[in-house]
Amino acid sequence: MRVYVPLTLPGLAEAHKTGELGPGPLTAYAVTPGLREWYVSDDIEELEYAALNRAAAGSLRLIAGDPSAARRRVVVAVDVPDKDAAADPDRGVDSAGLGEVRIAEAVTLAKAAAVHIDADDAEDDVSAAAAALGAADHGDDDAQFTVDGAEDHELLWFGVQEIPGIVG
């Protein structure tokens, strides 16, 4: 199963240093039954893109919690055995938990398929979105508009072999 693990740039640097994403348990996003039902689609590429976007939102939350982190969302795509990615059946109908899975143990970075990161030109919008996240969570429509502005930026694709240059 392909899972998308949200990180920050310091988190990616740490994963590169240790050779693993972890320690577990990890929160990741994948094409779960709840995500399939919500998006009402059978197109696996479309569903994986939705899971990637859910992970990008998770990365934004990590950035908001770490004032020292660069304001660029980071998601690592990793292939794990299906049995290792457990979805909480009680969160299947909760839109906040769509596609969310738990991975009990650390995952070696060698299992990563790709890294997705915001381009430099997204930093201002990601920074504003991270600052507005709390207000958006409390129903502020203007803050939600700001958070949505970060989603207008597509994450760039990088091969795993490019991580040293990214975290350099």
Side-chain angles (χ1 to χ4, degrees):
M1 169 183 286
R2 170 81 34 107
V3 300
Y4 299 91
V5 181
L7 292 176
T8 60
L9 278 172
L12 181 62
E14 182 65 20
H16 175 65
K17 185 173 98 177
T18 63
E20 66 182 20
L21 299 166
L26 296 171
T27 298
Y29 296 84
V31 178
T32 61
L35 188 81
R36 283 181 188 277
E37 187 175 323
W38 182 266
Y39 282 91
V40 192
S41 175
D42 289 329
D43 184 339
I44 191 64
E45 286 183 19
E46 198 174 292
L47 291 166
E48 286 190 358
Y49 184 72
L52 171 65
N53 283 330
R54 302 293 296 174
S59 176
L60 181 64
R61 291 195 174 281
L62 294 173
I63 290 167
D66 183 357
S68 67
R71 291 349 214 184
R72 293 171 65 197
R73 298 168 299 163
V74 177
V75 175
V76 178
V78 183
D79 294 317
V80 299
D82 289 358
K83 65 178 180 46
D84 290 353
D88 182 348
D90 295 333
R91 292 211 61 191
V93 294
D94 176 9
S95 65
L98 283 176
E100 189 175 289
V101 295
R102 295 270 187 243
I103 302 170
E105 304 291 328
V107 177
T108 63
L109 197 55
K111 291 185 178 183
V115 179
H116 303 271
I117 303 174
D118 275 314
D120 292 340
D121 68 353
E123 285 186 14
D124 289 343
D125 287 338
V126 171
S127 182
L133 201 53
D137 286 347
H138 287 94
D140 183 319
D141 290 337
D142 291 334
Q144 185 61 54
F145 182 78
T146 301
V147 170
D148 291 344
E151 294 175 10
D152 290 341
H153 294 274
E154 295 287 330
L155 298 178
L156 303 176
W157 181 96
F158 293 90
V160 176
Q161 70 276 12
E162 296 178 85
I163 293 174
I166 295 167
V167 300

